[in-house]
């Protein structure tokens, strides 16, 4: 067991040190990983909405033709990749980020998303395994409706605890200034909440960087010789030998 832990710790720090050594590329890579989820989640939400309106969602059905299963799979992969990128980013810069205490904030936000996600998946699995069954009444609830109701009830109860945690972790005190300022207008604050320009700017930046990276890669491929250096030396040696032989 000690050998496994030693190998894991050394391998972990080896990768972290490698990522840090990449500098700007490391920041771009982790940011791009997070944006995979930022972009994919609205797409899967629209897919789910269209499938629900057309009656083709296949909720709680693990089959190839189920839109619900594919959106669940895409969301799961995107969430895990984004979480991995955020953890790597924190591990690399935890000393620089220590003054703003990012770990409790990170756990509070991600606990809401991931806990509710896995909780819903667990309830849907119970329906699939027939641990949650249809009610016995003639006009009673189906197993899927019971699972959805349980999920909604649990989320309402859990959000009370999460709200207390958010109140403690995301305190207003660091933003209180001794300089008197007029309070912001209500509509201005609301407009800031729904302002998505920063997301659009980040998406355009990431797409632009990706296109530039592909262009540089294509130019390198164009400049790359068709034969290797060793093959080139062999060909030159062959030409020199035959030229000398013919002259003789």
């Amino acid at each position: 067991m000690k050998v496994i832990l030693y190998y894991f710790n050394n391998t972990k720090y080896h990768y972290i040190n490698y990522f840090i050594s990449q500098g700007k590329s490391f920041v771009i890579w982790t940011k791009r990983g997070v944006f995979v989820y930022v972009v994919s989640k609205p797409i899967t939400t629209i897919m789910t909405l269209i499938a629900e309106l057309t009656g083709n969602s296949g909720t709680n059905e693990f089959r190839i033709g189920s839109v619900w299963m594919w959106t669940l799979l895409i969301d799961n992969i995107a969430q895990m990749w984004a979480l991995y990128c955020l953890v790597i980013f924190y591990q690399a810069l935890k000393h620089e980020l220590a003054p703003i205490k990012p770990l409790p904030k990170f756990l509070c936000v991600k606990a809401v998303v991931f806990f509710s996600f896995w909780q819903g998946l667990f309830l849907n699995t119970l329906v699939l395994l027939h641990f949650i069954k249809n009610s016995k009444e003639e006009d009673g609830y189906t197993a899927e409706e019971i699972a959805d109701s349980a999920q909604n009830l649990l989320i309402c109860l859990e959000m009370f605890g999460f709200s207390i945690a958010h109140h403690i972790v995301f305190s207003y005190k660091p933003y209180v200034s001794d300089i008197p300022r007029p309070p912001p207008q209500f509509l201005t604050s609301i407009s800031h909440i729904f302002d998505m320009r920063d997301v659009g700017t980040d998406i355009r930046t990431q797409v632009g960087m990706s296109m530039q990276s592909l262009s540089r890669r294509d130019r390198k491929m164009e400049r790359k010789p068709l034969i290797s250096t060793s093959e080139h030396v062999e060909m030159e040696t062959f030409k020199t030998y035959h030229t000398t032989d013919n002259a003789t």
Side-chain angles (χ1 to χ4, degrees), residues 140-172:
Y141 295 102
T142 63
E144 290 79 9
E145 291 173 339
I146 294 174
D148 291 339
S149 300
Q151 169 78 335
N152 295 335
L153 176 62
L154 290 173
I155 287 178
C156 290
L157 296 175
E158 293 157 1
M159 287 306 109
F160 176 73
F162 281 125
S163 64
I164 296 175
H166 275 68
H167 179 73
I168 296 172
V169 172
F170 293 94
S171 176
Y172 67 92

Side-chain angles (χ1 to χ4, degrees), residues 61-82:
E61 296 179 5
F62 291 92
R63 55 183 178 82
I64 299 298
S66 172
V67 176
W68 174 84
M69 188 194 75
W70 287 110
T71 55
L72 182 71
L73 180 64
I74 294 171
D75 286 342
N76 193 15
I77 294 174
Q79 286 177 356
M80 289 301 174
W81 180 246

Side-chain angles (χ1 to χ4, degrees), residues 26-27 30 84-94 97:
F26 165 72
V27 177
T30 51
Y84 171 74
C85 292
L86 289 174
V87 170
I88 289 294
F89 184 83
Y90 171 74
Q91 285 289 340
L93 301 172
K94 59 183 177 181
L97 297 173

Side-chain angles (χ1 to χ4, degrees), residues 10-71:
N10 281 273
T11 305
K12 178 184 70 173
Y13 288 113
H14 170 74
Y15 280 118
I16 291 173
N17 291 331
Y18 169 75
F19 288 139
I20 295 175
S21 66
Q22 301 303 304
K24 183 179 179 181
S25 298
F26 165 72
V27 177
I28 294 173
W29 179 80
T30 51
K31 191 174 182 180
R32 197 172 290 170
V34 174
F35 262 85
V36 169
Y37 178 68
V38 174
V39 175
S40 66
K41 183 58 179 179
I43 295 175
T44 55
T45 301
I46 294 172
M47 289 172 57
T48 303
L49 178 61
I50 295 174
E52 285 286 347
L53 294 176
T54 57
N56 299 316
S57 62
T59 305
N60 300 330
E61 296 179 5
F62 291 92
R63 55 183 178 82
I64 299 298
S66 172
V67 176
W68 174 84
M69 188 194 75
W70 287 110
T71 55

